PDB file of all heavy atoms in Angstrom:
ATOM      1  N   GLU Q 194     -31.282  33.944 -72.158  1.00 98.00           N
ATOM      2  CA  GLU Q 194     -29.850  33.763 -72.391  1.00 98.00           C
ATOM      3  C   GLU Q 194     -29.186  33.292 -71.103  1.00 98.00           C
ATOM      4  O   GLU Q 194     -29.425  33.853 -70.026  1.00 98.00           O
ATOM      5  CB  GLU Q 194     -29.204  35.065 -72.854  1.00 98.00           C
ATOM      6  CG  GLU Q 194     -27.727  34.876 -73.219  1.00 98.00           C
ATOM      7  CD  GLU Q 194     -27.072  36.163 -73.700  1.00 98.00           C
ATOM      8  OE1 GLU Q 194     -27.336  37.221 -73.085  1.00 98.00           O
ATOM      9  OE2 GLU Q 194     -26.304  36.100 -74.678  1.00 98.00           O
ATOM     10  N   TYR Q 195     -28.386  32.248 -71.232  1.00 97.00           N
ATOM     11  CA  TYR Q 195     -27.610  31.718 -70.117  1.00 97.00           C
ATOM     12  C   TYR Q 195     -26.130  31.938 -70.403  1.00 97.00           C
ATOM     13  O   TYR Q 195     -25.712  32.060 -71.564  1.00 97.00           O
ATOM     14  CB  TYR Q 195     -27.905  30.231 -69.912  1.00 97.00           C
ATOM     15  CG  TYR Q 195     -29.253  29.986 -69.279  1.00 97.00           C
ATOM     16  CD1 TYR Q 195     -30.418  30.066 -70.035  1.00 97.00           C
ATOM     17  CD2 TYR Q 195     -29.365  29.703 -67.922  1.00 97.00           C
ATOM     18  CE1 TYR Q 195     -31.665  29.860 -69.452  1.00 97.00           C
ATOM     19  CE2 TYR Q 195     -30.595  29.493 -67.332  1.00 97.00           C
ATOM     20  CZ  TYR Q 195     -31.743  29.575 -68.106  1.00 97.00           C
ATOM     21  OH  TYR Q 195     -32.975  29.387 -67.525  1.00 97.00           O
ATOM     22  N   GLU Q 196     -25.344  31.975 -69.332  1.00 97.00           N
ATOM     23  CA  GLU Q 196     -23.910  32.208 -69.491  1.00 97.00           C
ATOM     24  C   GLU Q 196     -23.114  31.308 -68.564  1.00 97.00           C
ATOM     25  O   GLU Q 196     -23.554  30.984 -67.461  1.00 97.00           O
ATOM     26  CB  GLU Q 196     -23.566  33.672 -69.225  1.00 97.00           C
ATOM     27  CG  GLU Q 196     -23.835  34.146 -67.807  1.00 97.00           C
ATOM     28  CD  GLU Q 196     -23.505  35.608 -67.604  1.00 97.00           C
ATOM     29  OE1 GLU Q 196     -23.137  36.273 -68.587  1.00 97.00           O
ATOM     30  OE2 GLU Q 196     -23.625  36.090 -66.459  1.00 97.00           O
ATOM     31  N   ARG Q 197     -21.950  30.904 -69.046  1.00 96.00           N
ATOM     32  CA  ARG Q 197     -21.019  30.130 -68.232  1.00 96.00           C
ATOM     33  C   ARG Q 197     -19.990  31.093 -67.658  1.00 96.00           C
ATOM     34  O   ARG Q 197     -19.441  31.938 -68.375  1.00 96.00           O
ATOM     35  CB  ARG Q 197     -20.344  29.060 -69.087  1.00 96.00           C
ATOM     36  CG  ARG Q 197     -19.355  28.204 -68.319  1.00 96.00           C
ATOM     37  CD  ARG Q 197     -18.901  26.988 -69.118  1.00 96.00           C
ATOM     38  NE  ARG Q 197     -19.991  26.051 -69.325  1.00 96.00           N
ATOM     39  CZ  ARG Q 197     -20.447  25.231 -68.386  1.00 96.00           C
ATOM     40  NH1 ARG Q 197     -19.921  25.248 -67.168  1.00 96.00           N
ATOM     41  NH2 ARG Q 197     -21.423  24.398 -68.656  1.00 96.00           N
ATOM     42  N   PHE Q 198     -19.716  30.966 -66.338  1.00 95.00           N
ATOM     43  CA  PHE Q 198     -18.767  31.878 -65.697  1.00 95.00           C
ATOM     44  C   PHE Q 198     -17.576  31.156 -65.074  1.00 95.00           C
ATOM     45  O   PHE Q 198     -16.747  31.774 -64.422  1.00 95.00           O
ATOM     46  CB  PHE Q 198     -19.483  32.728 -64.637  1.00 95.00           C
ATOM     47  CG  PHE Q 198     -20.112  31.939 -63.523  1.00 95.00           C
ATOM     48  CD1 PHE Q 198     -19.382  31.600 -62.386  1.00 95.00           C
ATOM     49  CD2 PHE Q 198     -21.433  31.544 -63.600  1.00 95.00           C
ATOM     50  CE1 PHE Q 198     -19.959  30.885 -61.353  1.00 95.00           C
ATOM     51  CE2 PHE Q 198     -22.020  30.833 -62.571  1.00 95.00           C
ATOM     52  CZ  PHE Q 198     -21.282  30.494 -61.444  1.00 95.00           C
ATOM     53  N   GLY Q 199     -17.483  29.839 -65.262  1.00 96.00           N
ATOM     54  CA  GLY Q 199     -16.357  29.091 -64.729  1.00 96.00           C
ATOM     55  C   GLY Q 199     -16.314  27.707 -65.318  1.00 96.00           C
ATOM     56  O   GLY Q 199     -17.189  27.308 -66.108  1.00 96.00           O
ATOM     57  N   PRO Q 200     -15.307  26.892 -64.948  1.00 94.00           N
ATOM     58  CA  PRO Q 200     -15.120  25.569 -65.566  1.00 94.00           C
ATOM     59  C   PRO Q 200     -15.968  24.471 -64.958  1.00 94.00           C
ATOM     60  O   PRO Q 200     -16.070  23.392 -65.531  1.00 94.00           O
ATOM     61  CB  PRO Q 200     -13.630  25.297 -65.315  1.00 94.00           C
ATOM     62  CG  PRO Q 200     -13.338  26.025 -64.032  1.00 94.00           C
ATOM     63  CD  PRO Q 200     -14.189  27.263 -64.059  1.00 94.00           C
ATOM     64  N   GLY Q 201     -16.586  24.702 -63.819  1.00 92.00           N
ATOM     65  CA  GLY Q 201     -17.317  23.649 -63.136  1.00 92.00           C
ATOM     66  C   GLY Q 201     -18.666  23.351 -63.763  1.00 92.00           C
ATOM     67  O   GLY Q 201     -19.241  24.178 -64.489  1.00 92.00           O
ATOM     68  N   ALA Q 202     -19.197  22.160 -63.466  1.00 85.00           N
ATOM     69  CA  ALA Q 202     -20.490  21.753 -64.023  1.00 85.00           C
ATOM     70  C   ALA Q 202     -21.622  22.674 -63.587  1.00 85.00           C
ATOM     71  O   ALA Q 202     -22.623  22.816 -64.288  1.00 85.00           O
ATOM     72  CB  ALA Q 202     -20.797  20.311 -63.604  1.00 85.00           C
ATOM     73  N   TRP Q 203     -21.467  23.326 -62.424  1.00 88.00           N
ATOM     74  CA  TRP Q 203     -22.507  24.216 -61.911  1.00 88.00           C
ATOM     75  C   TRP Q 203     -22.238  25.679 -62.247  1.00 88.00           C
ATOM     76  O   TRP Q 203     -23.034  26.556 -61.855  1.00 88.00           O
ATOM     77  CB  TRP Q 203     -22.609  24.078 -60.400  1.00 88.00           C
ATOM     78  CG  TRP Q 203     -23.117  22.746 -59.959  1.00 88.00           C
ATOM     79  CD1 TRP Q 203     -22.370  21.672 -59.565  1.00 88.00           C
ATOM     80  CD2 TRP Q 203     -24.481  22.337 -59.861  1.00 88.00           C
ATOM     81  NE1 TRP Q 203     -23.191  20.627 -59.224  1.00 88.00           N
ATOM     82  CE2 TRP Q 203     -24.489  21.003 -59.395  1.00 88.00           C
ATOM     83  CE3 TRP Q 203     -25.703  22.969 -60.123  1.00 88.00           C
ATOM     84  CZ2 TRP Q 203     -25.670  20.294 -59.190  1.00 88.00           C
ATOM     85  CZ3 TRP Q 203     -26.882  22.255 -59.906  1.00 88.00           C
ATOM     86  CH2 TRP Q 203     -26.852  20.939 -59.448  1.00 88.00           C
ATOM     87  N   ASP Q 204     -21.167  25.959 -62.967  1.00 95.00           N
ATOM     88  CA  ASP Q 204     -20.756  27.357 -63.180  1.00 95.00           C
ATOM     89  C   ASP Q 204     -21.455  27.971 -64.382  1.00 95.00           C
ATOM     90  O   ASP Q 204     -20.828  28.369 -65.365  1.00 95.00           O
ATOM     91  CB  ASP Q 204     -19.232  27.439 -63.357  1.00 95.00           C
ATOM     92  CG  ASP Q 204     -18.488  27.064 -62.099  1.00 95.00           C
ATOM     93  OD1 ASP Q 204     -19.112  27.032 -61.026  1.00 95.00           O
ATOM     94  OD2 ASP Q 204     -17.274  26.785 -62.189  1.00 95.00           O
ATOM     95  N   TRP Q 205     -22.767  28.054 -64.325  1.00 95.00           N
ATOM     96  CA  TRP Q 205     -23.553  28.725 -65.353  1.00 95.00           C
ATOM     97  C   TRP Q 205     -24.794  29.303 -64.693  1.00 95.00           C
ATOM     98  O   TRP Q 205     -25.193  28.893 -63.610  1.00 95.00           O
ATOM     99  CB  TRP Q 205     -23.935  27.763 -66.484  1.00 95.00           C
ATOM    100  CG  TRP Q 205     -24.685  26.551 -66.031  1.00 95.00           C
ATOM    101  CD1 TRP Q 205     -24.164  25.376 -65.565  1.00 95.00           C
ATOM    102  CD2 TRP Q 205     -26.106  26.399 -65.987  1.00 95.00           C
ATOM    103  NE1 TRP Q 205     -25.174  24.507 -65.234  1.00 95.00           N
ATOM    104  CE2 TRP Q 205     -26.384  25.105 -65.477  1.00 95.00           C
ATOM    105  CE3 TRP Q 205     -27.176  27.211 -66.345  1.00 95.00           C
ATOM    106  CZ2 TRP Q 205     -27.670  24.618 -65.301  1.00 95.00           C
ATOM    107  CZ3 TRP Q 205     -28.469  26.725 -66.168  1.00 95.00           C
ATOM    108  CH2 TRP Q 205     -28.697  25.443 -65.663  1.00 95.00           C
ATOM    109  N   ARG Q 206     -25.387  30.306 -65.330  1.00 94.00           N
ATOM    110  CA  ARG Q 206     -26.526  31.008 -64.723  1.00 94.00           C
ATOM    111  C   ARG Q 206     -27.362  31.693 -65.799  1.00 94.00           C
ATOM    112  O   ARG Q 206     -26.873  31.992 -66.890  1.00 94.00           O
ATOM    113  CB  ARG Q 206     -26.032  32.054 -63.718  1.00 94.00           C
ATOM    114  CG  ARG Q 206     -25.134  33.125 -64.353  1.00 94.00           C
ATOM    115  CD  ARG Q 206     -24.392  33.926 -63.323  1.00 94.00           C
ATOM    116  NE  ARG Q 206     -23.363  34.753 -63.955  1.00 94.00           N
ATOM    117  CZ  ARG Q 206     -22.283  35.227 -63.340  1.00 94.00           C
ATOM    118  NH1 ARG Q 206     -22.093  34.954 -62.053  1.00 94.00           N
ATOM    119  NH2 ARG Q 206     -21.398  35.974 -63.987  1.00 94.00           N
ATOM    120  N   TRP Q 207     -28.624  31.944 -65.460  1.00 95.00           N
ATOM    121  CA  TRP Q 207     -29.492  32.774 -66.299  1.00 95.00           C
ATOM    122  C   TRP Q 207     -28.923  34.186 -66.348  1.00 95.00           C
ATOM    123  O   TRP Q 207     -28.439  34.725 -65.358  1.00 95.00           O
ATOM    124  CB  TRP Q 207     -30.901  32.767 -65.709  1.00 95.00           C
ATOM    125  CG  TRP Q 207     -31.819  33.778 -66.319  1.00 95.00           C
ATOM    126  CD1 TRP Q 207     -32.525  33.653 -67.469  1.00 95.00           C
ATOM    127  CD2 TRP Q 207     -32.137  35.077 -65.807  1.00 95.00           C
ATOM    128  NE1 TRP Q 207     -33.264  34.793 -67.708  1.00 95.00           N
ATOM    129  CE2 TRP Q 207     -33.042  35.683 -66.704  1.00 95.00           C
ATOM    130  CE3 TRP Q 207     -31.727  35.791 -64.676  1.00 95.00           C
ATOM    131  CZ2 TRP Q 207     -33.552  36.958 -66.502  1.00 95.00           C
ATOM    132  CZ3 TRP Q 207     -32.236  37.067 -64.468  1.00 95.00           C
ATOM    133  CH2 TRP Q 207     -33.136  37.645 -65.377  1.00 95.00           C
ATOM    134  N   HIS Q 208     -28.998  34.797 -67.537  1.00 96.00           N
ATOM    135  CA  HIS Q 208     -28.415  36.125 -67.713  1.00 96.00           C
ATOM    136  C   HIS Q 208     -29.463  37.186 -68.042  1.00 96.00           C
ATOM    137  O   HIS Q 208     -29.503  38.243 -67.414  1.00 96.00           O
ATOM    138  CB  HIS Q 208     -27.352  36.074 -68.813  1.00 96.00           C
ATOM    139  CG  HIS Q 208     -26.721  37.399 -69.111  1.00 96.00           C
ATOM    140  ND1 HIS Q 208     -26.067  38.149 -68.158  1.00 96.00           N
ATOM    141  CD2 HIS Q 208     -26.648  38.122 -70.270  1.00 96.00           C
ATOM    142  CE1 HIS Q 208     -25.619  39.269 -68.707  1.00 96.00           C
ATOM    143  NE2 HIS Q 208     -25.972  39.279 -69.978  1.00 96.00           N
ATOM    144  N   ARG Q 209     -30.322  36.934 -69.063  1.00 97.00           N
ATOM    145  CA  ARG Q 209     -31.298  37.948 -69.457  1.00 97.00           C
ATOM    146  C   ARG Q 209     -32.376  37.309 -70.326  1.00 97.00           C
ATOM    147  O   ARG Q 209     -32.249  36.170 -70.770  1.00 97.00           O
ATOM    148  CB  ARG Q 209     -30.630  39.085 -70.225  1.00 97.00           C
ATOM    149  CG  ARG Q 209     -30.005  38.635 -71.542  1.00 97.00           C
ATOM    150  CD  ARG Q 209     -29.523  39.786 -72.395  1.00 97.00           C
ATOM    151  NE  ARG Q 209     -28.916  39.290 -73.629  1.00 97.00           N
ATOM    152  CZ  ARG Q 209     -28.893  39.951 -74.776  1.00 97.00           C
ATOM    153  NH1 ARG Q 209     -29.439  41.158 -74.856  1.00 97.00           N
ATOM    154  NH2 ARG Q 209     -28.320  39.433 -75.843  1.00 97.00           N
TER     155      ARG Q 209
END
Side-chain angles (χ1 to χ4, degrees):
E194 185 179 42
Y195 286 78
E196 64 181 4
R197 180 169 293 284
F198 61 88
W203 293 96
D204 294 344
W205 57 275
R206 60 194 169 203
W207 169 83
H208 178 58
R209 63 172 179 151

